[in-house]
Structure formats: C-alpha cells, structure tokens
Amino acid sequence: MVSDDNPFLSSMLYKVLGLSVILSKKLVRARRLRKLDITRDTKSMQLYHHIIWLSREGLIIVEQYMLPMVAAYVELKVLAYKLAASFYHIFVLFHNQSSVYQTAIPGFAASTDQGNMFDRGSIKSTPPFSNPLEGGPQRNPGTLPPGLTPISVPRPSASFLLPATDYIPMASACFIRAAELAEGLLSGSHPIRLSVKLEYAAYLYDCLHDGQGCRKLAHQSILDVYSAQEGMEDDMFEDAAELVGILGKMMKRGLGSNGTPTSTPGKGSSGTPSTPQARNVLPQARNVLTQAPKASPVIPSPSIENPI
C-alpha cells in the first residue's frame, strides 16, 4: 500500500531494511567479540567505526525522510520512532561520552584547547582533529608540580564520524515517545508494540542499569498481550509469540537462582544506578520531548542479538 501511495517513502523503507540487515550482522559480531574477553575492547576498531557509520546513515534516513511522511500511517509512525530509538541505542552502547560500559571504543588523546570544541547542532559536522604531538606553544600547566602535565580525557576514535557526546537523554526521549505511540495506536499483542517494549527494556538494563525497571516493563508488556482482545493473523501471532518468549527471559534478567536481584553492570549491590546521570536521565528525556519542536526531526540515536 505504501509503495502505491508514496513511492519515495517506500524506497526509504527498503534502504533502512537493507542497512539494518548489514548492521545486525555486525552487531552480533561485535557482541561475540566482547564475550571473548570483557576486560578489553574488540581488537578491530574498523568494526566499531562501520557500526557507527551505518547507524548514523540510518538515523539520517529516518529523521529526514521517514518521520516527516509517516503521520498518515499508524504502524509506520510507531516503527519510525522505534528505528530512531534503536540507532540512538547503538550510539549509547558504542559511542557514548561517557561510556555506559567499563569498556568502549578505544580513544585518542583529546586536545586540551577548549576553543576547539565543535558545535553539535548537526550530526554531519566533523570535529576538527588536533594532533597533540604537533609543535607550537603549549598551555601553561599553572601551579602543577614540576614534571606533571594536565591530564586530557580521551575522545572516542570514531569522533570523525559522529560527535562524541552524551546520547542517553536523546535515546531515552526517543524510547519514551515510541512507547507512548505504541501504547496509544497499537494493540497490546501487536508485534511492533512488543518490539518497542523489548528493546526499551534492554536499553533500561544495558544503558541505564535499571534492572528493576527492565523487569517491570517486560512483565507489563506480557500482561498487555494476554489482556488484548484484538484478533491476529498467523504470521503476526508467530512474531508476537517469539517476542513474548524473549520478554519472559527479560523478566528474569539480573535475578539470581533464588529470584533476588543481583548487581548489574554499573550498579552496586543495592541495585541503584551508580551515577547521578543514570538516576536523572528520564526527567531529562521528558524535557527533551517537551522542548523540542514537533515539526523538526530528532537530532542525532545491543540489547538482544539484534536491536533493530
């Protein structure tokens, strides 16, 4: 139906589909490489760079060509916001500043000159590269003892592809928006709604380190499926059944054998987020949603095997 009504939108959907197929394979590979030794990063930075580049191009297609044209399509509207959230999710996992994991993409030493900070108004802008080994006047270290130099925070090596910043508020805002649209427009057993809730739950656990929120969201999503009264076709039923099975596993994520919560990455034994940023990210995400103009697209966002 979309191909007849809007051929351009249909072509954009096919482009995102092809990009997602390539991206999913690379995400699975990156996940497996991390499992080999979680104390170090994947050896090949090219894999990370390709993931960031594909996600950036996918987000550009979604924001510039899909979101402005999906208002008349219920399912595509939810899907478009879900795709935007998925790409931001990848940015948070692989390119966030600061990293949500102990390991992240290897970084280069950043320049101590604050005047080189770039404008993040567009994801297309490329930050200037400054080589700290080049000659020239050096900043006066001030009152530091002799022999000590100012410590510069490393910047991600993929900064030439995407600005290095904190993408958590934008990712959270996209997930909140996608979840609200899914709940308001789709039935509780709809596969697209379940996929939104599934990745949202994975995002809460992996990026915000909110195990309780992850399990609660997965549990409520399953309850919504059983309370749904709408009928489904066979293929939709199979997709929904598979997603419900994964949500069932998410309900047990972070729980010990006796059913009590265990500490998750980035959290202490009490189960509370380890940083104020993680505790305050949802109110910040609400502000992003309320302050952003409705007409303008979101500005540049693995979970289970494939987060898209």
Side-chain angles (χ1 to χ4, degrees):
M1 182 181 68
V2 179
S3 58
D4 298 332
D5 298 341
N6 195 330
F8 181 77
L9 176 59
S10 177
S11 65
M12 293 297 106
L13 288 170
Y14 277 112
K15 286 184 179 180
V16 173
L17 175 61
L19 182 146
S20 301
V21 172
I22 300 174
L23 181 59
S24 64
K25 296 179 181 179
K26 296 187 177 296
L27 289 172
V28 171
R29 182 185 173 196
R31 183 182 180 89
R32 290 174 178 172
L33 289 174
R34 281 177 177 267
K35 285 183 177 180
L36 295 177
D37 185 359
I38 61 175
T39 62
R40 61 175 174 81
D41 296 292
T42 304
K43 289 183 178 180
S44 174
M45 286 193 297
Q46 183 180 5
L47 175 62
Y48 285 120
H49 294 168
H50 205 176
I51 289 174
I52 297 300
W53 179 76
L54 288 171
S55 303
R56 185 196 70 177
E57 295 303 304
L59 183 63
I60 291 175
I61 294 175
V62 171
E63 290 184 340
Q64 296 186 4
Y65 303 109
M66 290 180 58
L67 287 178
M69 296 187 292
V70 295
Y73 306 94
V74 174
E75 294 180 348
L76 285 182
K77 186 176 182 179
V78 179
L79 179 61
Y81 279 96
K82 193 263 182 183
L83 286 171
S86 297
F87 291 127
Y88 276 116
H89 187 184
I90 296 174
F91 293 159
V92 174
L93 284 170
F94 293 98
H95 192 64
N96 203 62
Q97 189 80 2
S98 58
S99 174
V100 295
Y101 284 126
Q102 207 172 20
T103 58
I105 304 178
F108 298 132
S111 172
T112 57
D113 187 4
Q114 297 298 324
N116 287 336
M117 293 299 291
F118 53 87
D119 181 15
R120 203 191 54 79
S122 171
I123 64 171
K124 295 181 180 179
S125 60
T126 302
F129 176 78
S130 58
N131 189 352
L133 301 179
E134 291 179 353
Q138 301 294 326
R139 173 174 293 185
N140 188 355
T143 58
L144 291 175
L148 295 181
T149 57
I151 299 176
S152 59
V153 179
R155 60 182 178 87
S157 61
S159 297
F160 69 98
L161 292 171
L162 192 72
T165 186
D166 184 11
Y167 290 97
I168 290 179
M170 288 174 284
S172 300
C174 285
F175 274 114
I176 291 173
R177 179 59 174 163
E180 290 175 347
L181 289 174
E183 292 174 359
L185 300 176
L186 303 176
S187 64
S189 59
H190 199 286
I192 295 181
R193 173 171 171 170
L194 291 175
S195 68
V196 171
K197 297 301 183 71
L198 175 60
E199 187 174 357
Y200 192 8
Y203 170 78
L204 290 174
Y205 189 91
D206 293 334
C207 299
L208 301 189
H209 310 301
D210 185 3
Q212 182 179 0
C214 166
R215 294 185 290 269
K216 183 178 179 181
L217 179 60
H219 177 69
Q220 184 60 49
S221 301
I222 294 177
L223 292 180
D224 293 341
V225 172
Y226 288 114
S227 62
Q229 301 297 325
E230 296 80 5
M232 288 192 301
E233 299 178 358
D234 291 342
D235 54 347
M236 293 181 62
F237 177 80
E238 294 177 359
D239 293 338
E242 182 180 359
L243 291 170
V244 168
I246 302 176
L247 284 168
K249 296 179 181 179
M250 298 292 290
M251 288 176 54
K252 302 177 182 179
R253 199 173 185 186
L255 295 178
S257 57
N258 56 355
T260 57
T262 59
S263 60
T264 55
K267 298 171 70 172
S269 58
S270 61
T272 58
S274 59
T275 62
Q277 178 191 46
R279 291 194 292 268
N280 300 329
V281 65
L282 291 181
Q284 294 177 10
R286 292 287 183 181
N287 294 335
V288 172
L289 285 175
T290 55
Q291 295 175 3
K294 294 183 178 180
S296 62
V298 189
I299 301 175
S301 160
S303 60
I304 311 303
E305 294 289 343
N306 178 11
I308 298 181

